Amino acid sequence: EEFERGAHEHFMVKEIHEQPEAVQRVIRGRLDERFHAVHLGGLNMDAREAREIKRVKILGCGSAYYAGQLGAQFIEEVARIPADAEPASEFRYRNPVVERDTLYVAVSQSGETLDTLVAVQELKRKGGRVIGLVNAVGSSIAREVDGGVYLHAGPEVSVASTKALTNMAVGFAMLGIHLGRIRDVSPADGRRLIDGLKKIPEQIQAIVDTETELAEIAGRLAKHESLFFVGRTRGYPVAREGAQKLKEISYRHAEAYQTSELKHGPLALISPDVPTVAIVPDDELLDRNIGALHEIAARSGPLYVVTHPGVVVPDGAAAVIRVPKNEPELDPILLTIPLQLLAYHASVALGHDVDKPRNLAKSVTVE
Ligand code: G6P
């Protein structure tokens, strides 16, 4: 085990550092520079079938579900197909309506999560078309689906998912571009997004290179018993995943909220003891997001802002973490990376067993 971890103290941090290569592997051979499109040979779906899709429903559990939320947002925004994500654990029990023209997508690192596998089986029993975004080759879910996209993140050992999650998000982006280019996305937009995808590995590397700074910030965050993570639209799944990671490995209470919903409830809890990690991309909602940060600052809530270069945040923010800018639709993938390092270093600072958090398993293959 020591050998496999190499120079790293834990698998989680090793896997965080492996992400630039992992992303290279998932995009390799799949980007079509000539037609500004994406080739996903394993989908087993021709262009005519792809055009008939009326809806996309993504199913997964835990971090895979949050990756699914990112994916749904991307697919709906880019391919203009209504899309949403739902925990597979809920879907399988609620007797869902299965539609012929919906594309169901099961997303899983291990390919063995029982809730996701049973959701796939239930869908297939009712005649639904299901594809997989799966990391483990030949796993149960990979064998059950009608087609899919392998994520090629390599083996992931740490319970807290990092590189598999990033490759899920990149996998969904490729699926969205693929479907979009068959439908109404222009060659110019296809090219813009493909160029954006190609930049992701080096941009992840640039974030990972700021680890020392992030570790210092994490040490301060870890002192708080309870935290908020906020984001909206594209940034909301990022906030949810950031809160989930912190909870899983540092055992701090972290709650994710839509920034826009703060004023409808959680603002009551903001105080100097309750910091907010705010996801603030430089996009069309920037002014509104900054407005919400001022509301938090006015109540003396410590602000840890994850944002882009050049964004002006309220004076007195506890920390500003700047992430390289990509295309707006792809930015969520990069905004997630510093949150992995914050959760990791918070857990280390608190002296917890990072790779094997209490009460959690890497893959839940039972009811
Ligand atoms: C478990 C793990 C999570 C993971 C989820 C889904 O609950 O603790 O980290 O996100 O399963 O796993 P999968 O292998 O299906 O992606």
Side-chain angles (χ1 to χ4, degrees):
E1 187 173 311
E2 224 164 82
F3 171 74
E4 289 171 21
R5 271 192 282 115
H8 296 289
E9 203 182 333
H10 300 100
F11 278 104
M12 183 179 175
V13 75
K14 170 176 180 269
E15 289 159 3
I16 288 172
H17 282 258
E18 284 170 352
Q19 290 178 112
E21 285 164 50
V23 172
Q24 290 289 7
R25 279 197 300 272
V26 71
I27 62 179
R28 186 169 301 145
R30 287 167 164 166
L31 306 184
D32 177 342
E33 308 278 350
R34 183 149 166 252
F35 286 104
H36 314 300
V38 172
H39 282 304
L40 298 171
L43 285 186
N44 299 328
M45 184 168 47
D46 65 27
R48 205 159 296 157
E49 290 171 291
R51 283 198 76 96
E52 278 163 12
I53 297 166
K54 295 269 184 322
R55 189 180 295 280
V56 175
K57 173 67 124 183
I58 301 166
L59 302 165
C61 295
S63 290
Y65 160 55
Y66 298 133
Q69 277 207 312
L70 281 176
Q73 171 89 33
F74 187 96
I75 290 167
E76 184 155 336
E77 186 174 5
V78 170
R80 305 308 291 157
I81 308 171
D84 76 329
E86 181 177 337
S89 48
E90 287 287 288
F91 181 86
R92 59 176 283 212
Y93 281 115
R94 69 170 177 83
N95 195 21
V97 175
V98 176
E99 295 164 308
R100 285 179 62 90
D101 45 13
T102 294
L103 177 66
Y104 295 92
V105 187
V107 55
S108 174
Q109 187 287 124
S110 62
E112 302 296 343
T113 299
L114 189 79
D115 283 323
T116 312
L117 177 62
V118 177
V120 170
Q121 290 167 337
E122 176 73 4
L123 276 166
K124 291 204 63 189
R125 217 179 48 76
K126 292 180 169 169
R129 177 198 285 270
V130 197
I131 62 164
L133 252 70
V134 173
N135 193 40
V137 175
S139 55
S140 302
I141 295 170
R143 282 185 275 123
E144 198 78 43
V145 289
D146 299 310
V149 181
Y150 274 125
L151 299 172
H152 302 308
E156 192 178 68
V157 176
S158 173
V159 168
S161 182
T162 53
K163 61 177 180 169
L165 179 104
T166 297
N167 276 21
M168 285 171 189
V170 172
F172 279 118
M174 290 194 298
L175 179 62
I177 298 167
H178 171 70
L179 294 173
R181 284 289 291 124
I182 289 172
R183 299 159 75 107
D184 297 318
V185 171
S186 66
D189 247 355
R191 169 184 234 157
R192 176 179 69 80
L193 291 165
I194 283 173
D195 287 348
L197 278 179
K198 288 195 295 192
K199 276 193 257 168
I200 288 179
E202 68 196 58
Q203 291 182 315
I204 292 179
Q205 188 60 53
I207 300 167
V208 171
D209 288 344
T210 65
E211 182 168 0
T212 313
E213 194 186 316
L214 290 167
E216 182 276 322
I217 296 169
R220 286 191 276 141
L221 268 183
K223 297 200 171 84
H224 296 272
E225 294 285 341
S226 188
L227 304 92
F228 277 109
F229 281 70
V230 299
R232 59 192 300 180
T233 65
R234 301 179 195 111
Y236 179 53
V238 175
R240 292 190 87 182
E241 168 57 20
Q244 170 97 335
K245 277 276 170 298
L246 195 77
K247 274 186 280 214
E248 280 182 310
I249 58 175
S250 79
Y251 315 140
R252 291 309 198 198
H253 170 243
E255 195 173 334
Y257 244 92
Q258 293 94 341
T259 317
S260 51
E261 281 286 299
L262 274 175
K263 60 181 177 299
H264 298 300
L267 211 48
L269 288 174
I270 297 294
S271 78
D273 296 330
V274 182
T276 301
V277 180
I279 313 306
V280 185
D282 186 1
D283 64 9
E284 65 283 359
L285 291 171
L286 179 63
D287 291 347
R288 288 178 186 278
N289 278 321
I290 296 292
L293 298 194
H294 282 288
E295 296 285 323
I296 295 167
R299 286 151 185 88
S300 308
L303 280 171
Y304 291 77
V305 189
V306 182
T307 189
H308 286 132
V311 170
V312 180
V313 307
D315 288 342
V320 184
I321 297 163
R322 301 213 186 256
V323 171
K325 182 87 184 73
N326 196 305
E327 297 301 322
E329 302 93 326
L330 294 167
D331 280 329
I333 301 171
L334 294 158
L335 292 163
T336 308
I337 309 295
L339 304 185
Q340 301 172 342
L341 285 160
L342 288 181
Y344 172 75
H345 285 286
S347 177
V348 170
L350 293 166
H352 298 312
D353 186 350
V354 177
D355 286 328
K356 294 199 180 67
R358 68 189 183 205
N359 308 339
L360 297 176
K362 179 68 181 155
S363 174
V364 183
T365 55
V366 291
E367 282 282 325

